[in-house]
Amino acid sequence: AQRVTQPEKLLSVFKGAPVELKCNYSYSGSPELFWYVQYSRQRLQLLLRHISRESIKGFTADLNKGETSFHLKKPFAQEEDSAMYYCALRGTGFQKLVFGTGTRLLVSP
Amino acid sequence: DVKVTQSSRYLVKRTGEKVFLECVQDMDHENMFWYRQDPGLGLRLIYFSYDVKMKEKGDIPEGYSVSREKKERFSLILESASTNQTSMYLCASSLSGEVEAFFGQGTRLTVV
């Protein structure tokens, strides 16, 4: 079975502080992992995917197969990072995404 | 720019009504999805379709059905709406084999 766990419902930090949003997954094969973000009153959109190993808006995420984790990190949070973040998994050969329960990031000035 | 458009932003329906939620995408995507988004539960897949007239159940299909008569349109049907179907409904589409899913703006359905 495919499962994504985001243990934190809310993460509150001050501007300039480091941020780590946790994501753990359960899947027996080789998954593809993603982070999606939803800013206030905007539609859900892709932030980054593990296969591209890129940094988007200062965020990075490394797939750790040993720990089955895909945590999202940013060294210095900005107020505009406040949003709902969802970790998602796609299994090999599958077309559908399985989402975690989401973490709301609140960055205060 | 990929556009996924859901026909309504807000809907209020009565218990027992038959409800149709419509979704249209303009990028010739093979895959289309319906999710519901609830606080603390995240996004849960209701149904998805990978081709015209093809459909597969997601994780929570009970009380819902879908229709995909044309490639660009994917309809979610609540046969007899109930209050526990009050939720935000998100439609998404993707190209077959591609990883990125594009989402609509959502329909907030309230069943009273």
mmCIF file of all heavy atoms in Angstrom, chain A residues 61-102:
data_model
loop_
_atom_site.group_PDB
_atom_site.id
_atom_site.type_symbol
_atom_site.label_atom_id
_atom_site.label_comp_id
_atom_site.label_asym_id
_atom_site.label_seq_id
_atom_site.Cartn_x
_atom_site.Cartn_y
_atom_site.Cartn_z
ATOM 1 N N ALA A 61 14.436 19.376 -1.181
ATOM 2 C CA ALA A 61 13.970 18.152 -0.531
ATOM 3 C C ALA A 61 14.803 17.006 -1.053
ATOM 4 O O ALA A 61 14.985 16.868 -2.260
ATOM 5 C CB ALA A 61 12.494 17.922 -0.805
ATOM 6 N N ASP A 62 15.296 16.204 -0.141
ATOM 7 C CA ASP A 62 16.111 15.051 -0.530
ATOM 8 C C ASP A 62 15.381 13.770 -0.163
ATOM 9 O O ASP A 62 14.887 13.615 0.955
ATOM 10 C CB ASP A 62 17.466 15.086 0.184
ATOM 11 C CG ASP A 62 18.338 16.201 -0.339
ATOM 12 O OD1 ASP A 62 18.366 16.380 -1.580
ATOM 13 O OD2 ASP A 62 18.967 16.896 0.474
ATOM 14 N N LEU A 63 15.352 12.867 -1.114
ATOM 15 C CA LEU A 63 14.735 11.574 -0.865
ATOM 16 C C LEU A 63 15.727 10.695 -0.112
ATOM 17 O O LEU A 63 16.832 10.441 -0.595
ATOM 18 C CB LEU A 63 14.346 10.921 -2.190
ATOM 19 C CG LEU A 63 13.713 9.531 -2.110
ATOM 20 C CD1 LEU A 63 12.425 9.569 -1.299
ATOM 21 C CD2 LEU A 63 13.463 8.982 -3.505
ATOM 22 N N ASN A 64 15.337 10.239 1.070
ATOM 23 C CA ASN A 64 16.158 9.343 1.871
ATOM 24 C C ASN A 64 15.470 7.991 1.902
ATOM 25 O O ASN A 64 14.521 7.785 2.663
ATOM 26 C CB ASN A 64 16.323 9.909 3.292
ATOM 27 C CG ASN A 64 17.278 9.091 4.138
ATOM 28 O OD1 ASN A 64 17.301 7.869 4.041
ATOM 29 N ND2 ASN A 64 18.057 9.756 4.956
ATOM 30 N N LYS A 65 15.935 7.086 1.065
ATOM 31 C CA LYS A 65 15.255 5.796 0.955
ATOM 32 C C LYS A 65 15.438 4.957 2.208
ATOM 33 O O LYS A 65 14.560 4.167 2.568
ATOM 34 C CB LYS A 65 15.764 5.039 -0.276
ATOM 35 C CG LYS A 65 15.340 5.683 -1.589
ATOM 36 C CD LYS A 65 15.699 4.836 -2.778
ATOM 37 C CE LYS A 65 15.207 5.482 -4.068
ATOM 38 N NZ LYS A 65 15.533 4.688 -5.267
ATOM 39 N N GLY A 66 16.555 5.140 2.899
ATOM 40 C CA GLY A 66 16.774 4.369 4.123
ATOM 41 C C GLY A 66 15.771 4.737 5.202
ATOM 42 O O GLY A 66 15.254 3.867 5.912
ATOM 43 N N GLU A 67 15.498 6.022 5.315
ATOM 44 C CA GLU A 67 14.540 6.497 6.312
ATOM 45 C C GLU A 67 13.146 6.680 5.728
ATOM 46 O O GLU A 67 12.249 7.120 6.438
ATOM 47 C CB GLU A 67 15.034 7.822 6.897
ATOM 48 C CG GLU A 67 16.336 7.699 7.682
ATOM 49 C CD GLU A 67 16.773 9.009 8.297
ATOM 50 O OE1 GLU A 67 16.064 10.026 8.108
ATOM 51 O OE2 GLU A 67 17.827 9.021 8.962
ATOM 52 N N THR A 68 12.988 6.376 4.461
ATOM 53 C CA THR A 68 11.715 6.599 3.728
ATOM 54 C C THR A 68 11.155 7.979 4.044
ATOM 55 O O THR A 68 9.999 8.135 4.473
ATOM 56 C CB THR A 68 10.670 5.504 4.014
ATOM 57 O OG1 THR A 68 10.380 5.466 5.426
ATOM 58 C CG2 THR A 68 11.161 4.148 3.570
ATOM 59 N N SER A 69 11.995 8.971 3.823
ATOM 60 C CA SER A 69 11.576 10.343 4.104
ATOM 61 C C SER A 69 11.869 11.257 2.917
ATOM 62 O O SER A 69 12.714 10.950 2.075
ATOM 63 C CB SER A 69 12.290 10.886 5.348
ATOM 64 O OG SER A 69 13.682 11.039 5.090
ATOM 65 N N PHE A 70 11.132 12.348 2.898
ATOM 66 C CA PHE A 70 11.297 13.352 1.836
ATOM 67 C C PHE A 70 10.965 14.706 2.462
ATOM 68 O O PHE A 70 10.002 15.359 2.111
ATOM 69 C CB PHE A 70 10.379 13.015 0.660
ATOM 70 C CG PHE A 70 10.587 13.877 -0.563
ATOM 71 C CD1 PHE A 70 11.822 13.963 -1.183
ATOM 72 C CD2 PHE A 70 9.522 14.580 -1.132
ATOM 73 C CE1 PHE A 70 12.020 14.737 -2.311
ATOM 74 C CE2 PHE A 70 9.694 15.355 -2.266
ATOM 75 C CZ PHE A 70 10.949 15.431 -2.854
ATOM 76 N N HIS A 71 11.781 15.119 3.384
ATOM 77 C CA HIS A 71 11.512 16.356 4.127
ATOM 78 C C HIS A 71 11.812 17.585 3.270
ATOM 79 O O HIS A 71 12.806 17.629 2.548
ATOM 80 C CB HIS A 71 12.347 16.405 5.404
ATOM 81 C CG HIS A 71 12.134 15.232 6.314
ATOM 82 N ND1 HIS A 71 10.925 14.569 6.425
ATOM 83 C CD2 HIS A 71 12.997 14.601 7.170
ATOM 84 C CE1 HIS A 71 11.035 13.589 7.298
ATOM 85 N NE2 HIS A 71 12.279 13.570 7.758
ATOM 86 N N LEU A 72 10.990 18.609 3.439
ATOM 87 C CA LEU A 72 11.144 19.867 2.703
ATOM 88 C C LEU A 72 11.861 20.873 3.601
ATOM 89 O O LEU A 72 11.448 21.080 4.743
ATOM 90 C CB LEU A 72 9.769 20.401 2.292
ATOM 91 C CG LEU A 72 9.727 21.658 1.451
ATOM 92 C CD1 LEU A 72 10.304 21.394 0.051
ATOM 93 C CD2 LEU A 72 8.301 22.168 1.335
ATOM 94 N N LYS A 73 12.897 21.500 3.058
ATOM 95 C CA LYS A 73 13.711 22.383 3.882
ATOM 96 C C LYS A 73 13.938 23.728 3.202
ATOM 97 O O LYS A 73 14.004 23.811 1.967
ATOM 98 C CB LYS A 73 15.077 21.734 4.153
ATOM 99 C CG LYS A 73 15.014 20.429 4.893
ATOM 100 C CD LYS A 73 16.395 19.811 5.049
ATOM 101 C CE LYS A 73 16.305 18.443 5.692
ATOM 102 N NZ LYS A 73 17.629 17.804 5.812
ATOM 103 N N LYS A 74 14.058 24.733 4.054
ATOM 104 C CA LYS A 74 14.453 26.058 3.573
ATOM 105 C C LYS A 74 15.267 26.709 4.684
ATOM 106 O O LYS A 74 14.834 26.719 5.833
ATOM 107 C CB LYS A 74 13.240 26.909 3.218
ATOM 108 C CG LYS A 74 13.607 28.253 2.601
ATOM 109 C CD LYS A 74 12.403 28.954 1.999
ATOM 110 C CE LYS A 74 12.831 30.262 1.344
ATOM 111 N NZ LYS A 74 11.705 30.953 0.669
ATOM 112 N N PRO A 75 16.444 27.246 4.365
ATOM 113 C CA PRO A 75 17.299 27.766 5.429
ATOM 114 C C PRO A 75 16.765 29.042 6.085
ATOM 115 O O PRO A 75 16.978 29.245 7.281
ATOM 116 C CB PRO A 75 18.641 28.024 4.721
ATOM 117 C CG PRO A 75 18.315 28.088 3.274
ATOM 118 C CD PRO A 75 17.105 27.253 3.056
ATOM 119 N N PHE A 76 16.083 29.889 5.313
ATOM 120 C CA PHE A 76 15.594 31.165 5.856
ATOM 121 C C PHE A 76 14.167 31.402 5.363
ATOM 122 O O PHE A 76 13.962 31.781 4.217
ATOM 123 C CB PHE A 76 16.499 32.309 5.407
ATOM 124 C CG PHE A 76 17.965 32.095 5.702
ATOM 125 C CD1 PHE A 76 18.836 31.733 4.688
ATOM 126 C CD2 PHE A 76 18.457 32.222 6.991
ATOM 127 C CE1 PHE A 76 20.175 31.517 4.946
ATOM 128 C CE2 PHE A 76 19.795 32.007 7.260
ATOM 129 C CZ PHE A 76 20.664 31.653 6.238
ATOM 130 N N ALA A 77 13.214 31.201 6.245
ATOM 131 C CA ALA A 77 11.807 31.322 5.844
ATOM 132 C C ALA A 77 11.431 32.782 5.587
ATOM 133 O O ALA A 77 11.923 33.694 6.256
ATOM 134 C CB ALA A 77 10.913 30.736 6.931
ATOM 135 N N GLN A 78 10.522 32.962 4.618
ATOM 136 C CA GLN A 78 9.978 34.281 4.299
ATOM 137 C C GLN A 78 8.474 34.276 4.556
ATOM 138 O O GLN A 78 7.822 33.220 4.515
ATOM 139 C CB GLN A 78 10.251 34.619 2.827
ATOM 140 C CG GLN A 78 11.719 34.587 2.442
ATOM 141 C CD GLN A 78 12.548 35.587 3.232
ATOM 142 O OE1 GLN A 78 12.166 36.748 3.376
ATOM 143 N NE2 GLN A 78 13.688 35.139 3.741
ATOM 144 N N GLU A 79 7.920 35.468 4.795
ATOM 145 C CA GLU A 79 6.487 35.548 5.077
ATOM 146 C C GLU A 79 5.669 34.985 3.923
ATOM 147 O O GLU A 79 4.621 34.363 4.146
ATOM 148 C CB GLU A 79 6.084 36.994 5.356
ATOM 149 C CG GLU A 79 6.579 37.520 6.685
ATOM 150 C CD GLU A 79 6.172 38.955 6.918
ATOM 151 O OE1 GLU A 79 4.964 39.193 7.098
ATOM 152 O OE2 GLU A 79 7.057 39.833 6.901
ATOM 153 N N GLU A 80 6.133 35.178 2.705
ATOM 154 C CA GLU A 80 5.381 34.696 1.545
ATOM 155 C C GLU A 80 5.422 33.176 1.401
ATOM 156 O O GLU A 80 4.752 32.618 0.529
ATOM 157 C CB GLU A 80 5.894 35.353 0.260
ATOM 158 C CG GLU A 80 7.376 35.184 0.019
ATOM 159 C CD GLU A 80 8.185 36.367 0.518
ATOM 160 O OE1 GLU A 80 7.761 37.012 1.508
ATOM 161 O OE2 GLU A 80 9.251 36.624 -0.066
ATOM 162 N N ASP A 81 6.181 32.505 2.251
ATOM 163 C CA ASP A 81 6.170 31.036 2.250
ATOM 164 C C ASP A 81 4.971 30.473 3.007
ATOM 165 O O ASP A 81 4.717 29.267 2.957
ATOM 166 C CB ASP A 81 7.454 30.495 2.891
ATOM 167 C CG ASP A 81 8.699 30.849 2.111
ATOM 168 O OD1 ASP A 81 8.610 30.974 0.862
ATOM 169 O OD2 ASP A 81 9.761 31.035 2.741
ATOM 170 N N SER A 82 4.265 31.315 3.707
ATOM 171 C CA SER A 82 3.086 30.851 4.443
ATOM 172 C C SER A 82 2.091 30.238 3.473
ATOM 173 O O SER A 82 1.652 30.893 2.521
ATOM 174 C CB SER A 82 2.432 32.015 5.192
ATOM 175 O OG SER A 82 3.295 32.512 6.179
ATOM 176 N N ALA A 83 1.759 28.991 3.713
ATOM 177 C CA ALA A 83 0.891 28.251 2.794
ATOM 178 C C ALA A 83 0.631 26.875 3.375
ATOM 179 O O ALA A 83 1.170 26.506 4.426
ATOM 180 C CB ALA A 83 1.552 28.106 1.416
ATOM 181 N N MET A 84 -0.168 26.106 2.646
ATOM 182 C CA MET A 84 -0.407 24.708 2.976
ATOM 183 C C MET A 84 0.492 23.875 2.093
ATOM 184 O O MET A 84 0.502 24.073 0.859
ATOM 185 C CB MET A 84 -1.875 24.362 2.721
ATOM 186 C CG MET A 84 -2.318 23.072 3.318
ATOM 187 S SD MET A 84 -2.486 23.229 5.104
ATOM 188 C CE MET A 84 -3.058 21.582 5.480
ATOM 189 N N TYR A 85 1.225 22.953 2.668
ATOM 190 C CA TYR A 85 2.167 22.127 1.919
ATOM 191 C C TYR A 85 1.752 20.660 2.019
ATOM 192 O O TYR A 85 1.499 20.147 3.112
ATOM 193 C CB TYR A 85 3.591 22.289 2.464
ATOM 194 C CG TYR A 85 4.175 23.653 2.199
ATOM 195 C CD1 TYR A 85 3.848 24.739 3.013
ATOM 196 C CD2 TYR A 85 5.034 23.868 1.130
ATOM 197 C CE1 TYR A 85 4.371 26.006 2.755
ATOM 198 C CE2 TYR A 85 5.563 25.115 0.869
ATOM 199 C CZ TYR A 85 5.227 26.177 1.687
ATOM 200 O OH TYR A 85 5.739 27.433 1.436
ATOM 201 N N TYR A 86 1.706 20.016 0.864
ATOM 202 C CA TYR A 86 1.341 18.609 0.805
ATOM 203 C C TYR A 86 2.485 17.813 0.187
ATOM 204 O O TYR A 86 2.995 18.160 -0.880
ATOM 205 C CB TYR A 86 0.099 18.393 -0.057
ATOM 206 C CG TYR A 86 -1.180 18.931 0.514
ATOM 207 C CD1 TYR A 86 -1.648 20.185 0.149
ATOM 208 C CD2 TYR A 86 -1.930 18.178 1.421
ATOM 209 C CE1 TYR A 86 -2.836 20.684 0.675
ATOM 210 C CE2 TYR A 86 -3.118 18.669 1.940
ATOM 211 C CZ TYR A 86 -3.557 19.920 1.562
ATOM 212 O OH TYR A 86 -4.725 20.399 2.081
ATOM 213 N N CYS A 87 2.834 16.740 0.839
ATOM 214 C CA CYS A 87 3.767 15.773 0.277
ATOM 215 C C CYS A 87 2.946 14.728 -0.493
ATOM 216 O O CYS A 87 1.844 14.364 -0.059
ATOM 217 C CB CYS A 87 4.548 15.113 1.406
ATOM 218 S SG CYS A 87 5.813 13.960 0.895
ATOM 219 N N ALA A 88 3.455 14.282 -1.617
ATOM 220 C CA ALA A 88 2.708 13.324 -2.430
ATOM 221 C C ALA A 88 3.637 12.274 -3.009
ATOM 222 O O ALA A 88 4.826 12.524 -3.235
ATOM 223 C CB ALA A 88 1.953 14.051 -3.551
ATOM 224 N N LEU A 89 3.070 11.119 -3.272
ATOM 225 C CA LEU A 89 3.837 9.975 -3.767
ATOM 226 C C LEU A 89 3.129 9.399 -4.987
ATOM 227 O O LEU A 89 1.904 9.346 -5.043
ATOM 228 C CB LEU A 89 3.922 8.919 -2.655
ATOM 229 C CG LEU A 89 4.518 7.550 -2.922
ATOM 230 C CD1 LEU A 89 5.077 6.985 -1.614
ATOM 231 C CD2 LEU A 89 3.511 6.568 -3.484
ATOM 232 N N ARG A 90 3.927 8.963 -5.932
ATOM 233 C CA ARG A 90 3.378 8.201 -7.052
ATOM 234 C C ARG A 90 4.184 6.915 -7.169
ATOM 235 O O ARG A 90 5.410 6.943 -7.276
ATOM 236 C CB ARG A 90 3.449 8.991 -8.357
ATOM 237 C CG ARG A 90 2.665 8.313 -9.474
ATOM 238 C CD ARG A 90 2.617 9.138 -10.711
ATOM 239 N NE ARG A 90 3.818 8.974 -11.517
ATOM 240 C CZ ARG A 90 3.884 9.311 -12.806
ATOM 241 N NH1 ARG A 90 2.838 9.823 -13.409
ATOM 242 N NH2 ARG A 90 5.015 9.159 -13.473
ATOM 243 N N GLY A 91 3.463 5.818 -7.154
ATOM 244 C CA GLY A 91 4.117 4.518 -7.248
ATOM 245 C C GLY A 91 4.497 4.168 -8.675
ATOM 246 O O GLY A 91 3.950 4.719 -9.623
ATOM 247 N N THR A 92 5.413 3.257 -8.813
ATOM 248 C CA THR A 92 5.880 2.825 -10.136
ATOM 249 C C THR A 92 4.717 2.293 -10.957
ATOM 250 O O THR A 92 3.969 1.434 -10.498
ATOM 251 C CB THR A 92 6.937 1.720 -9.987
ATOM 252 O OG1 THR A 92 7.950 2.172 -9.098
ATOM 253 C CG2 THR A 92 7.545 1.377 -11.333
ATOM 254 N N GLY A 93 4.580 2.822 -12.154
ATOM 255 C CA GLY A 93 3.532 2.330 -13.041
ATOM 256 C C GLY A 93 2.161 2.885 -12.747
ATOM 257 O O GLY A 93 1.204 2.580 -13.464
ATOM 258 N N PHE A 94 2.021 3.691 -11.725
ATOM 259 C CA PHE A 94 0.727 4.268 -11.400
ATOM 260 C C PHE A 94 0.632 5.692 -11.930
ATOM 261 O O PHE A 94 1.618 6.381 -12.077
ATOM 262 C CB PHE A 94 0.501 4.283 -9.882
ATOM 263 C CG PHE A 94 0.303 2.925 -9.291
ATOM 264 C CD1 PHE A 94 1.367 2.224 -8.752
ATOM 265 C CD2 PHE A 94 -0.947 2.337 -9.281
ATOM 266 C CE1 PHE A 94 1.191 0.969 -8.218
ATOM 267 C CE2 PHE A 94 -1.134 1.078 -8.735
ATOM 268 C CZ PHE A 94 -0.062 0.395 -8.201
ATOM 269 N N GLN A 95 -0.572 6.107 -12.210
ATOM 270 C CA GLN A 95 -0.799 7.464 -12.679
ATOM 271 C C GLN A 95 -1.263 8.390 -11.567
ATOM 272 O O GLN A 95 -1.178 9.591 -11.681
ATOM 273 C CB GLN A 95 -1.858 7.462 -13.794
ATOM 274 C CG GLN A 95 -1.516 6.590 -14.976
ATOM 275 C CD GLN A 95 -0.424 7.187 -15.842
ATOM 276 O OE1 GLN A 95 -0.116 8.366 -15.731
ATOM 277 N NE2 GLN A 95 0.171 6.381 -16.695
ATOM 278 N N LYS A 96 -1.771 7.823 -10.497
ATOM 279 C CA LYS A 96 -2.386 8.664 -9.478
ATOM 280 C C LYS A 96 -1.374 9.057 -8.407
ATOM 281 O O LYS A 96 -0.374 8.378 -8.163
ATOM 282 C CB LYS A 96 -3.549 7.929 -8.817
ATOM 283 C CG LYS A 96 -3.126 6.703 -8.031
ATOM 284 C CD LYS A 96 -4.315 6.040 -7.357
ATOM 285 C CE LYS A 96 -3.862 4.894 -6.472
ATOM 286 N NZ LYS A 96 -5.005 4.264 -5.778
ATOM 287 N N LEU A 97 -1.659 10.192 -7.781
ATOM 288 C CA LEU A 97 -0.870 10.691 -6.668
ATOM 289 C C LEU A 97 -1.573 10.373 -5.358
ATOM 290 O O LEU A 97 -2.788 10.505 -5.251
ATOM 291 C CB LEU A 97 -0.701 12.205 -6.773
ATOM 292 C CG LEU A 97 0.238 12.732 -7.850
ATOM 293 C CD1 LEU A 97 0.036 14.230 -8.022
ATOM 294 C CD2 LEU A 97 1.678 12.424 -7.510
ATOM 295 N N VAL A 98 -0.786 9.981 -4.366
ATOM 296 C CA VAL A 98 -1.303 9.795 -3.017
ATOM 297 C C VAL A 98 -0.736 10.924 -2.166
ATOM 298 O O VAL A 98 0.483 11.133 -2.121
ATOM 299 C CB VAL A 98 -0.884 8.426 -2.447
ATOM 300 C CG1 VAL A 98 -1.329 8.302 -0.999
ATOM 301 C CG2 VAL A 98 -1.472 7.311 -3.297
ATOM 302 N N PHE A 99 -1.612 11.649 -1.497
ATOM 303 C CA PHE A 99 -1.206 12.832 -0.746
ATOM 304 C C PHE A 99 -1.179 12.561 0.753
ATOM 305 O O PHE A 99 -1.930 11.739 1.276
ATOM 306 C CB PHE A 99 -2.180 13.985 -1.009
ATOM 307 C CG PHE A 99 -2.022 14.617 -2.352
ATOM 308 C CD1 PHE A 99 -2.672 14.091 -3.457
ATOM 309 C CD2 PHE A 99 -1.234 15.745 -2.516
ATOM 310 C CE1 PHE A 99 -2.531 14.677 -4.705
ATOM 311 C CE2 PHE A 99 -1.095 16.330 -3.760
ATOM 312 C CZ PHE A 99 -1.733 15.794 -4.860
ATOM 313 N N GLY A 100 -0.329 13.321 1.434
ATOM 314 C CA GLY A 100 -0.362 13.342 2.877
ATOM 315 C C GLY A 100 -1.456 14.279 3.365
ATOM 316 O O GLY A 100 -2.199 14.868 2.568
ATOM 317 N N THR A 101 -1.548 14.442 4.666
ATOM 318 C CA THR A 101 -2.627 15.243 5.245
ATOM 319 C C THR A 101 -2.315 16.734 5.237
ATOM 320 O O THR A 101 -3.180 17.537 5.555
ATOM 321 C CB THR A 101 -2.909 14.797 6.679
ATOM 322 O OG1 THR A 101 -1.674 14.756 7.396
ATOM 323 C CG2 THR A 101 -3.549 13.421 6.701
ATOM 324 N N GLY A 102 -1.093 17.086 4.882
ATOM 325 C CA GLY A 102 -0.758 18.494 4.746
ATOM 326 C C GLY A 102 -0.205 19.121 6.018
ATOM 327 O O GLY A 102 -0.541 18.709 7.134
#
